[in-house]
Amino acid sequence: MNERERSLLMSLHPRYATAILDGRKSVELRRQRVAVPPGTKVILYATSPVMALVGTATVTAVQVGTPSEIWKTHKERGAISRRDYLAYMKGAKQASALLLDHARTLSDPVPLAHLRAGGSFHPPQSYRYVDPDLLCKWLRGHPTADEVLRQTGTQPAAGDTKATSKTQAKRGTGSPIGGNMILAQHVAA
């Protein structure tokens, strides 16, 4: 399975997730090299106190450079103060800027308790790849499952669609499901 077939799971502090979803933040700044192809879908997991999937976005490009270069290029779109950025990047030799577009807020956040009920969901400290079948297990039965899967283009395994659709039908909110996604994390506080 290549990276385009898997999802990249990441987490964000709630203030950064909100800033992405309301359009004030269009660049996710990271301490390490992040190599994801343009077009990768992003699911935003907001950390405590929210602890839920809250929205989606799309990576349009990734730029790598020194922390100073990345700051000079992206400071206006990162929704972070210079002081907080420098504290976050302290000791880092390189940084990445994930340029984001098409941010969309989920109609109903998917809480951590629901994600864990579908399997061993643990928000990563940095990031990890997740295959579509695991994502479908985490979302199964939640009212927003079809919305998340549609926005991320994730294709569930046979049977997962029926389980999700059946739950949606009970709630009167069915929708089609469609391939890739990413969850995003920002460690800066």
Side-chain angles (χ1 to χ4, degrees):
M1 180 178 287
N2 66 41
E3 290 178 14
R4 291 289 283 174
E5 295 170 340
R6 297 182 291 175
S7 303
L8 186 63
L9 171 61
M10 303 169 81
S11 309
L12 289 119
H13 187 282
R15 72 177 174 181
Y16 296 118
T18 299
I20 290 170
L21 294 170
D22 71 16
R24 290 178 291 121
K25 178 178 173 68
S26 61
V27 175
E28 174 62 12
L29 304 167
R30 304 303 309 270
R31 289 178 47 92
Q32 69 275 4
R33 180 179 175 84
V34 178
V36 296
T40 299
K41 302 298 179 180
V42 180
I43 285 185
L44 307 170
Y45 175 83
T47 59
S48 184
V50 176
M51 299 186 300
L53 301 181
V54 295
T56 64
T58 302
V59 174
T60 59
V62 177
Q63 296 177 352
V64 178
T66 66
S68 178
E69 292 167 339
I70 295 299
W71 176 256
K72 286 177 188 172
T73 304
H74 300 290
K75 64 185 172 190
E76 301 297 322
R77 300 181 300 160
I80 187 171
S81 70
R82 179 172 171 79
R83 181 177 159 214
D84 287 346
Y85 178 79
L86 291 174
Y88 172 61
M89 290 292 172
K90 187 174 182 165
K93 301 256 187 272
Q94 69 177 358
S96 292
L98 284 76
L99 284 66
L100 303 173
D101 199 4
H102 307 296
R104 297 166 78 180
T105 302
L106 297 178
S107 61
D108 186 12
V110 183
L112 179 60
H114 182 91
L115 297 165
R116 286 190 169 155
S120 59
F121 180 88
H122 300 285
Q125 290 298 311
S126 184
Y127 62 87
R128 70 172 260 214
Y129 288 97
V130 178
D131 70 42
D133 293 342
L134 184 55
L135 175 63
C136 289
K137 287 179 183 178
W138 289 339
L139 295 171
R140 186 178 295 133
H142 192 272
T144 311
D146 285 349
E147 179 182 350
V148 175
L149 296 173
R150 185 178 59 252
Q151 288 180 18
T152 60
T154 300
Q155 184 61 48
D160 282 348
T161 303
K162 288 182 182 178
T164 302
S165 296
K166 186 183 288 184
T167 302
Q168 300 306 319
K170 286 180 186 176
R171 294 185 172 115
T173 58
S175 64
I177 297 179
N180 299 339
M181 78 137 225
I182 183 175
L183 297 177
Q185 166 151 10
H186 192 108
V187 186

